[in-house]
Amino acid sequence: MGNDDSRVYCRHRSNYFVVESTNINEIFNQIISHINETQNWINNINIMIANNCLLSDVLSEFSEKLPFPIMVLDVSQTALAISENYGKGSIDKNWDQMIDTGSLGVETISIYNELYKESIFTKDFYYIPANPFPYPSYNRNIYVNDEFMGFLSLILLDKPLSEAHRGWYYIAWECISNWVQLHIGQNDLLMRNSVFNEILSGNYENLNYFKGLLSTFGWKDNCNKQIIVLGCVSNHLNMNAHIAKLLNLHLDHLFANEYQDKLVILCNVDQISLEEQLQIIQPIIINSGYYGGSSNIFNNLKDTPHFLLQAMLPFWTDTVNIGVVSPCQNHILPYIFHLLKTSAKMSLTHPALLLLQEYDEAHKSDYHTLLYTYLKNQCNQTETANQLHMHRSSLLRKLTTIQELTGLDFNDYNTRLHLMISYELDES
């Protein structure tokens, strides 16, 4: 250093520090020894992982290296493991709730996902400020074959993360990623979700596996089933997966999973009626802004894709009723008329209605509307007259005029059906 100081000094860019030693070989040996010890320690953790240790065991190995509250969350944002040295009552009510239930709650997760929805796509470490939580956190996502599996979260209580801590955090992330990679194929829950999605898509290769799974919950092979499909008015990231996991953990009479950005629930209505099941999940539906539809009853799992489409019918309309799960019967006819109107290669309207429309425009009359009301009232003259606020004799005269203009026979079922279909097509 130009001052005849024989001690060893190290320099990095414009920074340097002096080591209280004059023997550089001794220093190198200490560095190599430390590296070897660290590598052996990491190798021991990997041996633990290979021997099917718990994820919490992996976290425990880092309790001294990373003296921070740490948790591992899966894709549904449910805690898989939490630092053992930060127990209940040591941080805040959010941490305590995570320890008790494994979840921060739907409302908190909704706020988090709305604020930081882009974080799921981050491949490097990222920082989350203290909103909506009391403390900021330092996080890194866990991916397996480019599929997001969850993340490692470290809470910064009263001090920032030093460079040394960042290094240990990276090692912890690698070890936890190795655990997830090794156990992904053995994770029964992931297998269940995957097989259920296959069945929803019409792939029955693993149908018997899913039947066996349901039988462990007391489902009979051909029990009566219905499907509920829920969608959210605001696209909260991962909320479907989170709610599905909560439902599956606590309710044996249904199986829920995320499918095509919707929450799909298969219900055993032999165990509990659909009405009772909806009452149980109603608070979640309302609080999370969900709405949706339900299918008719079926018993063969191979019919699942067909009844999934039934339950999806409310989503093709523009009407959104938060908290309401509408039965498919309310939507089947409008859907049929919608398909006819958009897909038919020719006009399906009865020619008599076109004639009445032209006559009404030319003579300022209302025969077209009057006939619709008459048909909706099943050709009941009294009810039609009352609805139109018209004397019955006036109605009879107008009906006679319609018959003279069009030659319609109101006693013929096919004629009445064609007329009603024409009106509904015009309304859809």
Side-chain angles (χ1 to χ4, degrees):
M1 295 179 63
N3 59 359
D4 297 326
D5 192 336
S6 60
R7 291 177 299 174
V8 178
Y9 76 94
C10 303
R11 181 175 179 178
H12 177 67
R13 296 177 183 168
S14 59
N15 301 313
Y16 69 89
F17 65 92
V18 178
V19 180
E20 294 296 330
S21 174
T22 59
N23 189 338
I24 193 167
N25 290 327
E26 179 183 347
I27 293 172
F28 278 140
N29 288 335
Q30 289 180 1
I31 292 173
I32 292 171
S33 176
H34 177 72
I35 292 173
N36 288 335
E37 288 177 7
T38 302
Q39 189 59 56
N40 289 335
W41 181 74
I42 295 172
N43 289 340
N44 287 333
I45 295 177
N46 287 329
I47 291 172
M48 288 171 51
I49 294 171
N51 288 325
N52 294 318
C53 71
L54 298 176
L55 188 54
S56 57
D57 295 334
V58 179
L59 268 191
S60 296
E61 293 296 312
F62 289 89
S63 57
E64 293 183 8
K65 310 291 186 185
L66 290 169
F68 299 86
I70 305 174
M71 54 186 170
V72 182
L73 299 101
D74 66 8
V75 68
S76 70
Q77 292 172 280
T78 303
L80 299 177
I82 297 176
S83 339
E84 62 177 14
N85 51 341
Y86 284 89
K88 190 173 179 181
S90 63
I91 304 178
D92 56 39
K93 63 178 183 180
N94 298 286
W95 182 260
D96 291 349
Q97 181 175 348
M98 185 66 79
I99 291 174
D100 284 340
T101 67
S103 169
L104 288 169
V106 170
E107 184 177 349
T108 303
I109 292 174
S110 299
I111 298 171
Y112 171 85
N113 288 335
E114 190 64 27
L115 291 172
Y116 311 111
K117 62 180 65 177
E118 297 303 321
S119 65
I120 190 175
F121 305 109
T122 304
K123 292 294 181 73
D124 206 344
F125 299 105
Y126 57 93
Y127 175 83
I128 297 295
N131 180 24
F133 312 114
Y135 301 100
S137 63
Y138 193 58
N139 305 274
R140 181 152 184 173
N141 295 331
I142 300 167
Y143 284 84
V144 174
N145 298 326
D146 284 331
E147 182 179 356
F148 176 64
M149 303 304 300
F151 55 97
L152 176 65
S153 182
L154 181 150
I155 298 175
L156 299 167
L157 290 177
D158 52 5
K159 56 184 177 181
L161 211 63
S162 68
E163 285 300 320
H165 287 140
R166 286 172 184 261
W168 286 116
Y169 185 85
Y170 178 80
I171 294 172
W173 171 82
E174 278 197 325
C175 291
I176 289 165
S177 295
N178 289 341
W179 188 94
V180 173
Q181 175 75 50
L182 184 66
H183 289 78
I184 189 70
Q186 303 169 15
N187 192 321
D188 189 45
L189 180 59
L190 292 172
M191 178 66 174
R192 297 177 196 177
N193 296 346
S194 176
V195 171
F196 184 47
N197 283 358
E198 288 176 5
I199 293 170
L200 291 171
S201 302
N203 179 354
Y204 308 116
E205 183 177 347
N206 293 302
L207 182 65
N208 288 333
Y209 168 84
F210 193 67
K211 285 182 177 180
L213 165 69
L214 295 179
S215 69
T216 64
F217 299 142
W219 292 44
K220 295 181 179 178
D221 188 17
N222 289 315
C223 65
N224 287 322
K225 309 172 187 70
Q226 284 182 266
I227 288 178
I228 299 171
V229 177
L230 299 175
C232 194
V233 290
S234 57
N235 186 23
H236 293 317
L237 193 66
N238 288 335
M239 186 56 65
N240 293 334
H242 183 81
I243 293 177
K245 185 163 185 176
L246 291 179
L247 293 176
N248 290 334
L249 283 174
H250 300 291
L251 303 172
D252 287 344
H253 50 77
L254 58 77
F255 186 86
N257 198 31
E258 184 177 26
Y259 181 74
Q260 295 182 350
D261 297 324
K262 298 287 190 297
L263 179 60
V264 179
I265 305 173
L266 181 68
C267 304
N268 183 337
V269 293
D270 279 350
Q271 291 183 347
I272 300 180
S273 70
L274 187 69
E275 291 74 20
E276 292 175 291
Q277 300 200 35
L278 285 173
Q279 287 179 1
I280 293 171
I281 65 176
Q282 193 76 16
I284 295 176
I285 295 174
I286 295 174
N287 294 337
S288 303
Y290 278 98
Y291 71 102
S294 61
S295 74
N296 287 325
I297 293 175
F298 65 103
N299 50 48
N300 190 339
L301 275 173
K302 286 191 175 182
D303 294 330
T304 300
H306 169 74
F307 289 91
L308 171 68
L309 292 176
Q310 281 190 355
M312 292 282 288
L313 288 179
F315 293 98
W316 69 267
T317 67
D318 294 327
T319 304
V320 173
N321 295 312
I322 293 176
V324 175
V325 177
S326 182
C328 63
Q329 296 93 319
N330 295 354
H331 302 274
I332 287 177
L333 277 179
Y335 183 63
I336 289 173
F337 292 133
H338 169 76
L339 290 179
L340 287 173
K341 187 172 184 178
T342 56
S343 304
K345 302 298 184 182
M346 61 181 181
S347 173
L348 301 176
T349 304
H350 197 293
L353 298 187
L354 299 176
L355 191 153
L356 288 178
Q357 284 179 319
E358 292 176 1
Y359 187 89
D360 286 343
E361 290 176 4
H363 297 84
K364 308 299 181 185
S365 56
D366 60 352
Y367 291 126
H368 186 272
T369 301
L370 184 145
L371 178 57
Y372 184 39
T373 307
Y374 181 60
L375 292 169
K376 283 200 299 181
N377 284 289
Q378 301 180 49
C379 298
N380 185 299
Q381 297 171 2
T382 302
E383 291 183 8
T384 303
N386 290 337
Q387 187 171 336
L388 294 173
H389 307 290
M390 183 183 296
H391 196 278
R392 190 167 179 272
S393 60
S394 299
L395 174 65
L396 289 174
R397 285 196 302 272
K398 291 192 175 188
L399 288 173
T400 300
T401 302
I402 290 174
Q403 287 180 304
E404 291 174 351
L405 288 170
T406 62
L408 291 171
D409 179 6
F410 297 142
N411 293 319
D412 181 66
Y413 169 79
N414 289 330
T415 297
R416 295 197 309 273
L417 179 61
H418 190 182
L419 288 169
M420 283 305 299
I421 291 175
S422 302
Y423 275 115
E424 297 301 332
L425 284 172
D426 188 49
E427 289 291 318
S428 63

